[in-house]
Structures are given as C-alpha cells and as structure tokens.
Amino acid sequence: MQGVILVAAGAGERFGGPKVFAALEGRPLLEWAALPFYDFPDRVVVIREEDRALVTLKDWKIVRGGARRRDSVRAGLDALDPQTEIVLVHDAARPLVSQALVERVARAARAGGAAVPVVPVRDTIKRVEGDAIVQTLQRSELRAAQTPQGFRVELLRKAHAASDRDASDDALLVEDLGAPVAAVAGDPRNIKVTTPADLAVARALMEAPGR
Ligand code: CTP
Ligand code: MG
C-alpha cells in the first residue's frame, strides 16, 4: 500500500506567515500540493495545532507537527497505516507537483528503496567563509533536490531512529545510513514557495503552458 505524508507544519518565517494556507488561484497551496495524492490509500497531513481550523483537505488524517521539519515527518510516520509499505513525503509549499512526477518517484522508491527528484542547478554554487569565496563547486555535478521524496517505510523509519540530526530533506537521513538513494528527473516547475515573490512565480508558472 502507498502512503503520503504532506508536511505543512512550518511557521513560514521567510514568507511572513503560514504560507501553506496562502491562496494561489483561489485555493490554498496545501490543496494544490495534495491534489496528485488523492488516489493514495493512506494520506496524512501534518500541521501546526493552531492551524487546524484552516485545513480544508477531505479524508486526510490530520496530525500535529514538530519544531523541525524532520519532527513533522516523524509525526507523519507514526500516523501511517501499518500496512503502508511505500511513503512519499511532500512539502505542502510545492503546489505545482505533477501526477507524472509523483508516479516517477513512487516507481523508483518501490524499485530501489529511496528516490529523490532532482533538477540541474542554474547558478554557479560557491562555498563561502564569512564574505570570502573559498571554493567553486563543479556545477555539472550538482543537482537541487525537490519533493516528493519516496521511501520504503521501513527504511525511512530506520533512518529516523538512527539519527537525531536536523535535516532539510528526508533523503539525507537515509544517505547517512549508507543506503542507496536514486535520483529521478525532477520538474523545474515544481518550485517551493519560500518567499512572497515565489507565490508570484508559482502563479505565472501555473498559467504558463508546458515548460
Ligand atoms: N515543515 C513542517 N514542519 C516544520 C518545518 C517545516 O511541516 N517544523 C514543512 C513546511 O510547512 C513546508 C516544508 O516543510 O511545507 C518545507 O519547509 P520550509 O519551506 O522551510 O517551510 P517553513 O519552515 O514553513 O518556512 P521557514 O523556514 O521560512 O520558516
Ligand atoms: Mg523551514
């Protein structure tokens, strides 16, 4: 059985408030982000307790998140049906996720245990110390990681149990175990809304045909 954990329990500090309830074309980001997952039998959305009244998703288990993103994912894992074998973890702040991407990630997670959608980086990435550039990374080797990230539930649970480090994505904890994580083609349209300007970008992308 397939499950999804939709994480929506962030404070949205860089946005200036709980962004997952901000409207895009008349619907909250959370609703857009949930759309390609309605055919998953096991659906969990993780929110802040104070936002409970704002959740409009139908027939999702609603659980309370934690201080760090990984704590929210952990709360979601604890709410999954014991029959669920594959889970996709998705940021509610990514409203442009497509059905095709969801299927690619789920297929790769079933095949190899863990899968992350990635896109090439556009900028040259440099390492800095203070205000000095100390290294320029080889752009052709770099990718930006998106969500949904897919895992065998057992593997993600083990990764969570093995480490309490903070993690900006789920795959990092699985990588720490030394387990293989497959990179699948991400989608350049699948941006994360981080700042108010990103909401304008998301609106434009929603109206733009194809890629
Ligand atoms: N998230 C969560 N629980 C947390 C932190 C983040 O469920 N404790 C979720 C957010 O709601 C978001 C996703 O993880 O859907 C990606 O996190 P991010 O973009 O960093 O969102 P926020 O943490 O809300 O924003 P900020 O870091 O600016 O406060
Ligand atoms: Mg955050």
Side-chain angles (χ1 to χ4, degrees), residues 10-14 19 67-69 192 194:
E13 270 173 35
R14 289 167 289 178
K19 60 192 180 186
R68 303 169 297 174
R69 186 182 179 284
K192 181 163 70 70
T194 303

Side-chain angles (χ1 to χ4, degrees), residues 30-189:
L30 178 66
E31 278 188 26
W32 289 112
L35 275 183
F37 297 103
Y38 269 89
D39 60 346
F40 281 45
D42 193 16
R43 299 186 298 276
V44 179
V45 58
V46 188
I47 57 148
R48 301 190 303 175
E49 188 59 38
E50 63 262 46
D51 295 334
R52 194 169 281 260
L54 300 172
V55 179
T56 48
L57 303 185
K58 300 274 178 290
D59 301 321
W60 287 64
K61 284 179 262 187
I62 301 176
V63 304
R64 177 189 191 153
R68 303 169 297 174
R69 186 182 179 284
R70 63 155 293 159
D71 302 320
S72 295
V73 172
R74 175 58 199 275
L77 276 172
D78 290 345
L80 286 179
D81 187 299
Q83 307 287 339
T84 296
E85 289 159 337
I86 297 292
V87 66
L88 267 57
V89 182
H90 184 56
D91 293 332
R94 293 184 189 268
L96 289 151
V97 54
S98 69
Q99 194 86 50
L101 180 61
V102 167
E103 281 163 19
R104 260 196 316 278
V105 172
R107 199 176 318 121
R110 275 197 301 274
V116 173
V118 298
V119 291
V121 295
R122 296 177 179 200
D123 296 327
T124 297
I125 309 286
K126 296 183 185 284
R127 193 189 306 280
V128 297
E129 281 171 14
D131 54 11
I133 289 171
V134 295
Q135 191 188 7
T136 297
L137 299 167
Q138 182 64 40
R139 189 174 60 188
S140 60
E141 292 179 355
L142 298 174
R143 301 289 182 273
Q146 303 183 327
T147 75
Q149 299 186 354
F151 307 92
R152 291 195 188 121
V153 174
E154 201 184 330
L155 177 63
L156 188 56
R157 283 196 212 279
K158 191 171 156 200
H160 268 255
S163 155
D164 188 49
R165 76 183 279 198
D166 197 3
S168 54
D169 77 350
D170 307 289
L172 176 57
L173 299 173
V174 174
E175 291 160 35
D176 282 350
L177 290 180
V181 178
V184 307
D187 180 351
R189 294 166 60 94

